[in-house]
Amino acid sequence: MSAPLAASNGRVKEARKLSRRSVRTERRLFLADGPKAVEGALSVAGCVVEVFATSGALEQHADLLAGVDTTLVDERAMASLSDSVTPAGVVAVCRHLDAPLEHVVRASPRLLAVCADVRDPGNAGTVIRTADAAGADAVVLAGQSVDAYNPKTVRATVGSLFHLPLAIEPDPAAVVRAAQARGLTVLAADGAGEVDLFDADLSGPTAWLFGNEARGLPEDLAALADHRVAIPIHGRAESLNLSTAAAVCLYASARAQRS
């Protein structure tokens, strides 16, 4: 086996540049950090460009990396590629996965999660993970939402980024109109909504619209939805955070559509 590459190696330095959003956007490449992310990336044909791993990770994740052309790097090089406090020792350079919005809605989804101006990478990643778990057909990051390929977003999806279609659309209103044109009922998750979640008819094709963590949905965007739906608060909590609210709504839809 050849000697591991150091952090100063040209290939490592080029991969490290993908920590910057501008470089990710220009090259349409990103880093998948950790065994779960790499496993997900390897399951998508043509997604992985290169895999970097330490000798320890090669041994620990032998089953995952068996038959995979892997570039050996030292610990300092791995630390430079990972934004984790304790790197897991394996990182993949991957091609972007997002598809145009029209491709996503053309597939006639029955359950769609739309994040409008969701800025926190942990929240966005958790919504993608939850949508995957609930059996949603796709996720759309709309407006000024966080970069789907931000390392923290990718890590928060725990591999789910690679499991379901993703669209990125600058205009949230265009997402609402496209979903409605395909026969989906668009429901805005809104604490002041006129419909109680547990009274809503969720059995048909549905697109859930989730807003910014601090400001919620803009009034003009919420007004485009077919209904505004509130999650009832039975205790003294003021509200639910975004990712928790998304989980409740998506699973309510999943249950109704499967019953």
Side-chain angles (χ1 to χ4, degrees), residues 161-229:
L161 177 65
F162 304 95
H163 296 167
L164 75 173
L166 170 74
I168 298 171
E169 171 53 55
D171 182 7
V175 182
V176 174
R177 291 191 293 266
Q180 290 169 330
R182 297 298 298 185
L184 281 79
T185 299
V186 177
L187 301 179
D190 184 347
E194 77 279 4
V195 178
D196 185 298
L197 174 66
F198 300 119
D199 294 330
D201 180 4
L202 304 176
S203 58
T206 299
W208 277 103
L209 191 57
F210 305 110
N212 177 268
E213 293 87 347
R215 300 184 300 276
L217 288 166
E219 176 60 31
D220 57 346
L221 181 61
L224 296 177
D226 296 291
H227 302 286
R228 303 186 197 206
V229 179

Side-chain angles (χ1 to χ4, degrees), residues 13-252:
K13 291 168 70 174
E14 284 302 305
R16 187 160 63 243
K17 290 179 182 178
L18 296 173
S19 62
R20 302 200 300 269
R21 183 172 187 170
S22 60
V23 177
R24 293 195 297 270
T25 301
E26 177 186 353
R27 299 182 182 178
R28 287 195 59 80
L29 297 173
F30 70 103
L31 296 176
D33 182 8
K36 283 293 184 184
V38 172
E39 180 181 14
L42 289 170
S43 72
V44 180
C47 176
V48 174
V49 176
E50 185 169 18
V51 176
F52 295 97
T54 62
S55 57
L58 277 173
E59 181 177 345
Q60 182 178 356
H61 305 294
D63 291 344
L64 170 63
L65 299 175
V68 177
D69 187 13
T70 304
T71 300
L72 186 65
V73 296
D74 64 24
E75 298 289 347
R76 288 187 62 188
M78 180 55 60
S80 75
L81 293 172
S82 172
D83 75 332
S84 299
V85 176
T86 54
V90 56
V91 170
V93 177
C94 302
R95 295 182 175 88
H96 280 197
L97 300 157
D98 54 282
L101 174 65
E102 57 267 26
H103 290 188
V104 169
V105 297
R106 189 186 301 156
S108 299
R110 286 189 56 78
L111 183 56
L112 189 66
V114 182
C115 294
D117 298 336
V118 172
R119 305 305 299 272
D120 181 80
N123 275 333
T126 301
V127 171
I128 293 170
R129 181 184 183 184
T130 302
D132 180 21
D137 298 291
V139 174
V140 181
L141 297 184
Q144 299 300 311
S145 289
V146 67
D147 179 18
Y149 305 108
N150 178 302
K152 291 182 174 62
T153 306
V154 176
R155 188 165 58 251
T157 72
V158 197
S160 288
L161 177 65
F162 304 95
H163 296 167
L164 75 173
L166 170 74
I168 298 171
E169 171 53 55
D171 182 7
V175 182
V176 174
R177 291 191 293 266
Q180 290 169 330
R182 297 298 298 185
L184 281 79
T185 299
V186 177
L187 301 179
D190 184 347
E194 77 279 4
V195 178
D196 185 298
L197 174 66
F198 300 119
D199 294 330
D201 180 4
L202 304 176
S203 58
T206 299
W208 277 103
L209 191 57
F210 305 110
N212 177 268
E213 293 87 347
R215 300 184 300 276
L217 288 166
E219 176 60 31
D220 57 346
L221 181 61
L224 296 177
D226 296 291
H227 302 286
R228 303 186 197 206
V229 179
I231 300 172
I233 302 293
H234 300 303
R236 297 175 62 187
E238 179 183 355
S239 62
L240 297 173
N241 70 19
L242 168 65
S243 56
T244 302
V248 172
C249 294
L250 290 169
Y251 266 94

